[in-house]
Amino acid sequence: MDPTTDNAGSIGDPGRARASLEALRAEIAKAVVGQDPAVTGLVVALLCRGHVLLEGVPGVAKTLLVRALASALELDTKRIQFTPDLMPSDITGSLVYDARTAEFSFQPGPVFTNLLLADEINRTPPKTQSSLLEAMEERQVTVDGTPRLLPDPFLVAATQNPVEYEGTYPLPEAQLDRFLLKLTIPLPSRQEEIDVLTRHAEGFDPRDLHAAGVRPVAGPADLEAARTAVAKTTISPEITAYVVDICRATRESPSLTLGVSPRGATALLATARAWAWLTGRDYVIPDDVKALALPTLRHRVQLRPEAEMEGVTADSVITAILTHVPVPR
């Protein structure tokens, strides 16, 4: 076998990597109906080494989506159900005493995986929520003073329920800002829901993705080749200024008490770059910025209470800003 290739594709061939990542949609569609925007968002996050906040009511296949993505990318995945009594060590791991050797050994927690599904992250106290911060930002955990690196790739897909807040601990702005994207998972259309029920009537089992026909179509080598190609995607000074103008406009909006930080501007530039490469270009255009503005920025702004009472949403404010900020030619 050629040392520059493996079963997932060519390590050095970005064109092959792009084709493999584009095939994810069709592969995941074997298990999940009608969630193409969420699949694209997760792929963009993997390319940018970022993390994703998934928001949707229970039963819209958030867990199945992450599992199907992991299966199609041949990546390891684990799931944590966040509860009020969950401790930080339940996530990161802990030292365990071995009576046979009379020594302590490290028992890795579920965070040591490629795709971590943090289910209902807002149901656990801030102390446990914050235990993910080091893992998300530094890609390591420190136990008993010893840092331990996490696998690469590593992505946290955290879910939260947007309609039930009793007994929850809302994520603080500092932690929300750690998520590259916030993706909303909508209820399916009538036809999509018919398709879901038809599949189940025909014997589809969401716990058995192999039986559903989901196969690996890409792998870590493709992701690495893709990341290298994304890093070479050209960004003109005009596009950089456009991103800055959008983010500065959020800080001046009368509907917001908190605008987008410079970290958010950096995130928008990165996601637009990844989207440009996925669509087959080696340069970024204004439409790439517009396409990723909502999922990249919606969780980084804070509405004024009076604006929220009038029915204003973060999405509507950002959409209005995109309409008014001059687009470079």
Side-chain angles (χ1 to χ4, degrees):
M1 180 181 292
D2 189 306
T4 62
T5 62
D6 63 11
N7 293 333
S10 174
I11 293 177
D13 185 356
R16 175 72 176 270
R18 183 189 288 118
S20 298
L21 293 177
E22 287 174 351
L24 283 175
R25 286 193 185 92
E27 202 63 25
I28 293 173
K30 296 176 181 179
V32 182
V33 176
Q35 295 293 0
D36 279 359
V39 174
T40 301
L42 286 165
V43 172
V44 166
L46 281 168
L47 292 178
C48 297
R49 291 181 167 87
H51 307 284
V52 175
L53 186 63
L54 300 172
E55 187 171 274
V57 299
V60 290
K62 298 187 292 293
T63 301
L64 181 60
L65 175 62
V66 175
R67 288 181 55 241
L69 177 67
S71 182
L73 281 173
E74 212 168 11
L75 298 175
D76 183 44
T77 182
K78 290 186 175 69
R79 175 179 175 270
I80 303 173
Q81 180 64 52
F82 280 78
T83 56
D85 59 349
L86 197 72
M87 298 296 291
S89 59
D90 295 327
I91 297 172
T92 61
S94 59
L95 295 175
V96 177
Y97 182 73
D98 189 339
R100 293 173 299 178
T101 61
E103 294 179 349
F104 285 92
S105 61
F106 178 66
Q107 183 66 37
V111 75
F112 286 86
T113 187
N114 296 125
L115 269 65
L116 177 67
L117 180 64
D119 221 350
E120 294 189 291
I121 191 174
N122 57 338
R123 292 206 172 277
T124 200
K127 181 179 180 181
T128 305
Q129 291 175 1
S130 66
S131 67
L132 273 179
L133 280 177
E134 182 188 14
M136 291 169 63
E137 192 67 19
E138 306 297 334
R139 300 183 181 274
Q140 66 178 26
V141 297
T142 303
V143 177
D144 196 34
T146 302
R148 291 175 169 85
L149 294 177
L150 295 172
D152 184 39
F154 173 69
L155 179 143
V156 173
T159 73
Q160 61 180 15
N161 182 347
V163 296
E164 184 183 352
Y165 291 104
E166 183 177 352
T168 63
Y169 304 84
L171 295 173
E173 286 74 20
Q175 188 162 348
L176 282 172
D177 207 30
R178 305 284 178 175
F179 287 97
L180 181 72
L181 300 172
K182 179 181 178 182
L183 305 176
T184 55
I185 310 296
L187 288 166
S189 66
R190 181 176 182 273
Q191 185 56 52
E192 287 171 346
E193 198 163 0
I194 289 174
D195 292 342
V196 171
L197 268 63
T198 300
R199 290 186 181 190
H200 280 265
E202 293 173 349
F204 171 70
D205 183 357
R207 291 172 293 274
D208 190 353
L209 294 177
H210 185 78
V214 179
R215 301 289 185 270
V217 294
D222 294 296
L223 282 176
E224 193 55 41
R227 287 169 173 175
T228 301
V230 168
K232 297 177 181 177
T233 302
T234 304
I235 303 173
S236 69
E238 292 78 14
I239 293 295
T240 302
Y242 181 51
V243 169
V244 169
D245 289 343
I246 291 171
C247 295
R248 290 182 68 86
T250 65
R251 302 168 202 161
E252 300 166 1
S253 171
S255 299
L256 302 176
T257 59
L258 179 69
V260 176
S261 69
R263 178 190 286 157
T266 302
L268 180 55
L269 200 64
T271 56
R273 197 181 214 179
W275 175 246
W277 181 82
L278 278 172
T279 52
R281 280 178 283 102
D282 60 357
Y283 57 91
V284 181
I285 61 175
D287 283 349
D288 300 324
V289 177
K290 290 181 178 180
L292 272 297
L294 286 179
T296 307
L297 304 182
R298 58 164 59 111
H299 57 298
R300 304 176 192 271
V301 300
Q302 193 173 70
L303 289 167
R304 292 188 182 278
E306 55 270 28
E308 202 165 2
M309 290 176 64
E310 293 172 2
V312 177
T313 64
D315 282 16
S316 65
V317 173
I318 295 169
T319 301
I321 287 172
L322 291 174
T323 302
H324 291 100
V325 172
V327 178
R329 298 186 180 277

